[in-house]
Amino acid sequence: CGCSHYLTSTQAVVGEEEPLFSNLDLFLFSLIVGLVIYWFMSRKKPEPIPEFKKIDTPAPAARETSFIEKMKKTGKNIIVFYGSQTGTAEEFANRLSKDAQRYGMKGMAADPEEYDMGELSRLSEIKNSLAIFCMATYGEGDPTDNAQDFYDWLQENDDDMSGLNYTVFALGNKTYEHYNAMGKYVDKRLEDLGAKRIFDLGLGDDDGNLEEDFVSWREQFWPAVCEHFGVEASGDELSIRQYELKEHTDINMNKVYTGEIGRLKSFEVQKPPFDSKNPFLAPVTVNRKLNKAGDRHLMHLELDITGSKIRYESGDHVAVFPTNDSVLVNKLGQILGVDLDKVISLNNLDEESNKKHPFPCPTTYRTALTHYLDITHPPRTNVLYELAQYASDPKDQENMRKMASSSPEGKALYQSWVLDASRNILAILEDMPSLRPPVDHLCELLPRLQARYYSIASSSKVHPNSIHICAVVVEYKTKTGRTNKGVATNWLKNKLVTDNGHKSTVPMYIRKSQFRLPFKATNPVIMIGPGTGIAPFVGFIQERGWLKQQGKEVGETVMYFGCRHKNEDYIYQEELEEAEKNAVLPQLHVAFSRDQDQKVYVQHLLKKNKENIWKLIHNDNAHIYVCGDARNMAKDVQSAFHDIAEELGGMTRTQATDYVKKLMTKGRYSQDVWS
């Protein structure tokens, strides 16, 4: 590095000349130091400042990290921890902690990141206590961000948990390799440490019907708890409000949240570091359509991060905070007959709770429904159950409660009327004229609008101050004839570079990923990404090109891309062909699935070039990267690799499967997939 080189050459010069200090210099230096010390010591001591008693301003309370003390203080005996990335596990945890009241118990939902998890073994100090874990799995079998420390703690500690009663409900997706890995790990690890499992591990599959899995598990779970602790359900099925409404009439508008995620006014005065609680408002500098034709809209956006101190690496994800369509928000306001600009707060009735409000308050109904609440996903059954009381038609009331039950006809009704028909809350209100709930209760029940993650389509070596996004706009017709639009992609599509003379901005932060180019640039890379799955590979190719320019030796770079039609949606065609021409991308293979009678996909091209693929993997230590659809593509690609290993490696199917698994554990087969 240049700086250490500079130091050594300076030292060399000093060494060759006269000694730096003579004796006289040293004497004078000591004298001066002595005088300075004497002056400091002999200064008159300052007058003590008279203390004025402060009136009624308590010191800010230190954050309580002991959940045991909190439970004792508030008389709680059930704690529900959640590991949540998109808010669903947190939602389930809140539902379970609320349930406890019906069984004469008191529950609290808790974020493991906020508490000292080393206290789990102390839970036995509380009579009839139980810890429930709602654990989601993220990415390649990883813990969610907020459960990372807890996961590390479980791996490193061997505390005796023999007094702990526990149960786990896991949230995952069957299309992923490591289905529900985090929930299974917590369940097994607690048992190994001597804890007592009160009820079987629940497995929720988001590829099927997660809500149904949860409702069925919960329906059997509570009777098991009652039996274990010898308690009886109160039969009190009434809706229990968690928050109370306060309307503000003469509030200073500077104190009102207008869409900020964390600190009030954080969008006006931006202060690093930027993260999920404090996103950076990045100006949009480019927003162009990528595809030349066809009925879809594929887009490329560039966000400017100059001056933000944000760093990213190729393969990372950018998280953006979208807002809901104002048309939907206005329709909700109309149908519920509400003044959307009324300033309100929803305050937690449990004053000891860490969660004072369901979203930043005070704010307006309009801001809450635009920035903070998810109004486009089909509502979960608990929302229908609690809103049922507001339906004036007894038939509607009965149907809503039925959909929330675990009876076969109830489940079928929820599946067909809500999920298959993609009815969001507005569609439900439109199709059920007798249902008119108070808007504040609706705001309490709707889940939070979540950030959306996109694989970054640029390299920070080439674009240190810019982050590129590649996405397809989601829009589809539902069975009821309505048009549903994806929240984030439609919002991004409308982010024009200048809007009425103002710069459009996107609130964003970076989520680090394990999807990384090999440490050694000489390793070959095989990239497989059809459609918008190409995103991280645009960054990878830029980075390999940059390394070449630096005079580094770069291994073979191979790309398998797939789209429907060459002259419609061959996105980034110019960039890819340019890289091919400059030998940055010596191998470019493109599958156009619909340009001929029989469909051709990336996995077909892999098999066509099996000899080359096998040589790169088996002899040259290549790294494989797969990005895109998890449900079909990623599975088909993986089985193509099994076929190649079986045929060219002379392996049995089992050996071939193990061979690919080993590549994964060694970090040589990475996936960035979504379903």
Side-chain angles (χ1 to χ4, degrees):
C1 125
C3 121
S4 60
H5 171 73
Y6 173 71
L7 271 175
T8 47
S9 47
T10 322
Q11 287 158 355
V13 173
V14 172
E16 284 163 19
E17 295 191 359
E18 295 293 307
L20 211 52
F21 299 110
S22 69
N23 290 346
L24 180 64
D25 288 338
L26 289 171
F27 170 72
L28 289 170
F29 182 69
S30 312
L31 190 66
I32 292 164
V33 170
L35 285 166
V36 169
I37 291 171
Y38 174 74
W39 179 74
F40 260 107
M41 301 297 282
S42 61
R43 272 192 327 171
K44 194 164 166 264
K45 292 279 183 285
E47 290 286 318
I49 298 169
E51 251 188 66
F52 293 104
K53 288 276 177 283
K54 276 197 179 162
I55 305 165
D56 287 343
T57 48
R63 206 161 53 96
E64 176 76 271
T65 61
S66 166
F67 62 85
I68 298 291
E69 296 314 317
K70 188 159 208 170
M71 288 172 78
K72 286 178 175 175
K73 198 159 77 186
T74 55
K76 305 269 172 37
N77 61 338
I78 290 184
I79 183 158
V80 195
F81 291 105
Y82 55 85
S84 191
Q85 196 70 30
T86 61
T88 313
E90 180 178 357
E91 219 181 297
F92 286 0
N94 282 323
R95 284 160 72 175
L96 289 167
S97 76
K98 236 170 152 178
D99 279 345
Q101 263 173 283
R102 300 195 177 118
Y103 301 93
M105 304 186 193
K106 282 184 84 180
M108 65 179 265
D111 182 341
E113 205 170 27
E114 290 183 5
Y115 292 102
D116 171 10
M117 297 304 281
E119 287 197 329
L120 275 175
S121 56
R122 286 184 57 203
L123 200 59
S124 54
E125 294 171 18
I126 295 170
K127 192 172 175 286
N128 281 359
S129 63
L130 169 65
I132 307 172
F133 297 86
C134 287
M135 306 306 287
T137 299
Y138 186 79
E140 297 297 289
D142 304 315
T144 55
D145 291 352
N146 77 315
Q148 184 66 56
D149 292 347
F150 173 46
Y151 175 71
D152 294 343
W153 180 84
L154 278 175
Q155 287 194 304
E156 290 154 17
N157 282 281
D158 283 325
D159 297 17
D160 174 21
M161 297 282 175
S162 50
L164 174 71
N165 296 315
Y166 80 97
T167 190
V168 179
F169 183 80
L171 297 84
N173 186 314
K174 265 217 173 72
T175 56
Y176 288 77
E177 183 80 18
H178 305 277
Y179 174 53
N180 268 326
M182 186 60 188
K184 289 172 182 170
Y185 175 75
V186 172
D187 181 60
K188 176 86 177 69
R189 183 71 184 131
L190 290 174
E191 180 183 49
D192 293 345
L193 294 173
K196 181 169 186 191
R197 185 188 293 107
I198 295 296
F199 189 65
D200 299 340
L201 165 71
L203 295 175
D205 175 19
D206 203 22
D207 186 45
N209 182 339
L210 186 59
E211 176 69 16
E212 187 180 301
D213 295 337
F214 176 68
V215 169
S216 306
W217 178 85
R218 172 176 162 249
E219 198 95 339
Q220 298 169 304
F221 163 68
W222 282 113
V225 171
C226 292
E227 195 178 325
H228 183 270
F229 292 119
V231 293
E232 269 181 44
S234 60
D236 193 9
E237 285 290 320
L238 283 173
S239 141
I240 304 154
R241 286 294 298 261
Q242 201 178 341
Y243 298 94
E244 64 178 345
L245 171 68
K246 181 177 190 331
E247 295 182 347
H248 304 278
T249 42
D250 53 350
I251 191 166
N252 174 352
M253 289 312 276
N254 277 329
K255 300 256 188 320
V256 177
Y257 282 88
T258 57
E260 306 92 326
I261 307 298
R263 185 173 48 86
L264 186 68
K265 301 281 173 227
S266 63
F267 285 170
E268 284 171 36
V269 183
Q270 291 246 284
K271 291 183 191 146
F274 297 105
D275 55 28
S276 60
K277 305 275 193 299
N278 180 35
F280 174 66
L281 289 182
V284 177
T285 53
V286 173
N287 182 351
R288 62 184 168 93
K289 188 175 177 183
L290 283 169
N291 49 323
K292 304 178 192 70
D295 49 7
R296 296 183 306 160
H297 183 103
L298 292 122
M299 56 188 172
H300 171 90
L301 276 94
E302 300 186 8
L303 308 179
D304 185 3
I305 53 168
T306 308
S308 66
K309 297 193 166 69
I310 289 173
R311 300 270 173 274
Y312 75 95
E313 303 245 353
S314 306
D316 282 343
H317 294 137
V318 57
V320 302
F321 288 95
T323 57
N324 288 312
D325 186 346
S326 57
V327 175
L328 290 183
V329 174
N330 288 331
K331 278 188 180 167
L332 271 173
Q334 274 166 354
I335 210 162
L336 293 175
V338 63
D339 171 8
L340 289 174
D341 297 306
K342 186 171 276 178
V343 180
I344 55 121
S345 288
L346 284 177
N347 300 325
N348 202 324
L349 291 161
D350 173 3
E351 288 177 359
E352 292 295 333
S353 172
N354 276 15
K355 202 172 171 150
K356 300 291 176 225
H357 317 282
F359 43 77
C361 290
T363 190
T364 64
Y365 284 124
R366 184 184 305 283
T367 301
L369 292 166
T370 305
H371 292 271
Y372 299 138
L373 297 170
D374 182 345
I375 60 174
T376 57
H377 271 109
R380 299 198 182 278
T381 57
N382 64 308
V383 177
L384 302 179
Y385 184 86
E386 300 225 7
L387 292 180
Q389 58 183 311
Y390 302 113
S392 53
D393 178 341
K395 191 88 193 93
D396 286 346
Q397 234 182 72
E398 187 196 338
N399 277 334
M400 289 177 77
R401 293 218 167 101
K402 190 190 279 175
M403 285 192 273
S405 76
S406 62
S407 72
E409 59 271 34
K411 284 178 179 177
L413 184 60
Y414 177 71
Q415 181 68 47
S416 64
W417 199 75
V418 179
L419 298 182
D420 297 345
S422 306
R423 275 188 173 88
N424 58 28
I425 189 65
L426 177 63
I428 287 173
L429 292 169
E430 285 174 342
D431 294 346
M432 230 183 227
S434 96
L435 176 66
R436 291 296 175 262
V439 67
D440 63 292
H441 198 177
L442 183 67
C443 288
E444 172 178 324
L445 291 170
L446 289 174
R448 280 291 293 266
L449 183 59
Q450 298 293 329
R452 306 297 203 265
Y453 300 98
Y454 295 96
S455 307
I456 297 177
S458 52
S459 159
S460 57
K461 302 283 192 290
V462 183
H463 299 283
N465 290 319
S466 178
I467 282 175
H468 301 183
I469 294 175
C470 159
V472 59
V473 176
V474 176
E475 192 170 311
Y476 59 94
K477 269 260 190 295
T478 73
K479 287 182 174 169
T480 64
R482 294 177 170 92
T483 298
N484 277 8
K485 295 178 172 188
V487 177
T489 54
N490 281 277
W491 167 77
L492 283 171
K493 178 186 169 186
N494 294 319
K495 287 279 173 189
L496 308 173
V497 176
T498 49
D499 206 358
N500 291 334
H502 295 288
K503 277 187 174 163
S504 284
T505 57
V506 167
M508 51 72 68
Y509 68 95
I510 297 296
R511 189 179 195 282
K512 292 284 170 216
S513 148
Q514 301 300 313
F515 204 68
R516 287 276 182 269
L517 276 168
F519 182 67
K520 280 164 60 185
T522 50
N523 283 84
V525 300
I526 302 168
M527 304 172 288
I528 302 143
T532 54
I534 194 175
F537 303 136
V538 176
F540 279 12
I541 292 164
Q542 285 175 6
E543 188 137 330
R544 301 279 272 191
W546 180 85
L547 288 165
K548 264 186 122 81
Q549 277 178 338
Q550 304 299 302
K552 298 261 191 331
E553 192 193 330
V554 176
E556 186 89 347
T557 306
V558 183
M559 175 83 217
Y560 283 85
F561 173 64
C563 59
R564 295 175 183 183
H565 301 282
K566 182 170 187 173
N567 49 14
E568 262 185 29
D569 53 357
Y570 185 178
I571 58 178
Y572 297 109
Q573 181 177 357
E574 293 76 20
E575 289 91 328
L576 291 173
E577 289 175 353
E578 178 75 6
E580 186 182 28
K581 202 174 78 194
N582 299 338
V584 169
L585 185 60
Q587 285 195 47
L588 171 61
H589 306 280
V590 189
F592 303 108
S593 62
R594 301 181 186 183
D595 275 350
Q596 59 287 306
D597 292 340
Q598 71 296 353
K599 297 263 172 73
V600 176
Y601 296 121
V602 282
Q603 62 269 23
H604 300 134
L605 296 191
L606 285 169
K607 285 198 203 161
K608 205 171 129 188
N609 301 321
K610 58 191 174 195
E611 279 84 7
N612 176 255
I613 291 278
W614 182 245
K615 177 189 163 296
L616 288 172
I617 299 169
H618 201 61
N619 304 339
D620 304 343
N621 222 8
H623 286 231
I624 302 163
Y625 300 90
V626 183
C627 180
D629 157 59
R631 187 170 288 132
N632 303 309
M633 184 276 301
K635 281 203 167 102
D636 294 341
V637 164
Q638 203 168 317
S639 92
F641 280 114
H642 292 154
D643 293 346
I644 293 170
E646 199 175 344
E647 189 186 335
L648 296 171
M651 303 181 188
T652 64
R653 193 62 178 184
T654 316
Q655 287 170 327
T657 312
D658 286 349
Y659 183 84
V660 172
K661 271 224 168 73
K662 273 216 179 66
L663 290 176
M664 289 177 170
T665 47
K666 284 186 184 148
R668 279 183 52 204
Y669 189 127
S670 309
Q671 302 189 88
D672 179 359
V673 291
W674 54 84
S675 73

